[in-house]
């Protein structure tokens, strides 16, 4: 009798653990408010493994946290963008990490870029974000989501192992079979999932992103606006890096012609007026997308990217409130042409 009762207790305990795991709340991190503190703290808590994919890694403080984890016995593996690490400070940081015992590989050159900003810690916690670990986090708008969702972690681990193994593959490497409904991977299914999310809107779409340019995404936003959906888009007036800094402006004008509230953020950039590097979409105040994907052809069709679609009310509300606050600082209409890139 005692044995049977003990077995019942074990089953109940197991079920409670499973339910607790499924009920675990995801956590939002936001820059510039949080800078990299939550990410560095997560690295500090790692006990066995860190698997990171990072486009830009130049924040020396974050580098030190990763090295410290390696030195206390954590297996740290990092994939960095193959083109960026060929020269300059990115190459120096890669060499420094390797010299300190961190296992670093360049990303598969078959992707146009590896723009993903993500990690899995101890195979228990994952981060999906638009946050580069750079020194300008103090004045850059970005979002990241920490999750303990087992399905998310397993799929991220599978793709990481594939990209790790295929790091020298010149052609675009294969992506393992994807099935997680939350995750959006470029160049495989992110465009399809983002378009479906936008098309599901019944009342409103609020988004901010660094780069526009996808013909399909622009057409979808115009379509939803013509259907009477309140669509608001915010991008930086002047995109950092590259020759054509005001490349977003023609897309903003096309969107405005379809009734979209098309806005641009302008410098000088500060903690109170951050540069819009985020890639975030909120639909009907119910669903939120956060990830590394810009809404451009390169990002959705050619690069390695990762995003997540969540429906956790507190995260959705927080991202939406921040985006709406950023909207209030945007310019539109004729001001787009008269404003300059300094």
């Amino acid at each position: 009798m005692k044995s049977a009762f003990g077995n019942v207790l074990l089953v109940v305990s197991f079920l409670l653990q499973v339910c607790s795991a499924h009920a675990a709340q995801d956590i939002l991190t936001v820059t510039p408010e949080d800078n990299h503190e939550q990410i560095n703290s997560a690295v500090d808590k790692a006990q066995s493994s860190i698997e990171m994919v990072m486009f830009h890694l130049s924040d020396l403080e974050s580098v030190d946290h990763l090295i410290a984890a390696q030195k206390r016995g954590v297996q740290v593996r990092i994939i960095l963008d193959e083109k960026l690490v060929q020269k300059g400070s990115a190459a120096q940081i890669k060499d420094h990490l390797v010299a300190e015992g961190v296992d670093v590989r360049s990303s598969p050159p078959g992707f146009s870029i590896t723009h993903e900003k993500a990690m899995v810690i101890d195979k228990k916690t994952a981060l999906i974000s638009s946050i580069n670990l750079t020194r300008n986090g103090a004045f850059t708008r970005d979002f990241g989501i920490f999750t303990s969702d087992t399905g998310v972690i397993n799929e991220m681990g599978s793709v990481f192992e594939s990209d790790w193994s295929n790091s020298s593959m010149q052609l675009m490497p294969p992506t393992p079979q994807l099935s997680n409904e939350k995750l959006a991977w470029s160049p495989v299914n992110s465009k399809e999932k983002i378009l479906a999310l936008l098309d599901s809107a019944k009342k409103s779409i609020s988004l901010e992103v660094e780069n526009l340019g996808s013909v399909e995404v622009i057409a979808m936003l115009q379509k939803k606006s013509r259907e009477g959906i309140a669509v608001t888009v915010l991008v930086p007036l002047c995109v950092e890096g590259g020759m054509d800094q005001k490349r977003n402006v023609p897309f903003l004008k096309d969107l405005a012609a379809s009734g979209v509230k098309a806005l641009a953020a302008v410098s000088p950039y500060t903690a109170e007026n951050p540069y819009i590097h985020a890639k975030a979409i909120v639909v009907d105040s119910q669903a939120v997308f956060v990830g590394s994907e810009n809404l451009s052809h390169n990002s959705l069709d050619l690069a390695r990217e990762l995003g997540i679609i969540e429906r956790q009310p507190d995260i959705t509300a927080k991202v939406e409130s921040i985006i709406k606050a950023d909207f209030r600082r945007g310019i539109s209409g004729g001001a787009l042409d008269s404003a300059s890139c300094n």
Side-chain angles (χ1 to χ4, degrees), residues 208-222:
E208 57 183 14
V209 66
E210 186 180 28
N211 282 299
L212 294 168
S214 167
V215 173
E216 296 92 335
V217 171
I218 295 294
M220 178 61 72
L221 293 170
Q222 292 173 320

Side-chain angles (χ1 to χ4, degrees), residues 54-176:
M54 189 58 56
F55 182 59
H56 280 300
L57 177 56
S58 61
D59 182 349
L60 298 181
E61 183 179 357
S62 294
V63 170
D64 287 344
H65 283 268
L66 291 163
I67 291 172
Q70 176 69 32
K71 289 188 179 300
R72 67 172 184 272
V74 177
Q75 181 191 41
V76 182
R77 294 189 291 165
I78 304 174
I79 297 175
L80 298 176
D81 180 69
E82 180 264 345
K83 297 174 181 64
L84 283 183
V85 298
Q86 290 180 7
K87 58 184 179 180
S89 60
Q92 293 172 4
I93 285 175
K94 179 185 177 183
D95 291 344
H96 176 52
L97 286 163
V98 171
E100 295 292 340
V102 177
D103 203 352
V104 183
R105 291 189 184 180
S106 299
S107 62
F111 297 121
S112 61
I113 55 174
T114 289
H115 194 243
E116 182 180 345
K117 307 100 164 47
M119 67 177 177
V120 173
I121 294 178
D122 296 339
K123 303 191 185 304
K124 294 180 180 179
T125 304
L127 169 72
I128 301 98
S129 79
S130 61
I131 303 169
N132 284 309
L133 292 177
T134 61
R135 286 163 286 191
N136 61 3
F139 55 86
T140 302
R141 171 68 74 227
D142 275 307
F143 299 99
I145 291 177
F146 287 96
T147 181
S148 57
D149 186 305
T150 302
V152 167
I153 291 166
N154 289 344
E155 187 163 287
M156 288 177 65
S158 177
V159 176
F160 181 90
E161 294 296 344
S162 177
D163 288 351
W164 183 263
S165 299
N166 293 322
S167 62
S168 62
M169 185 174 288
Q170 294 296 318
L171 298 176
M172 187 177 289
T175 297

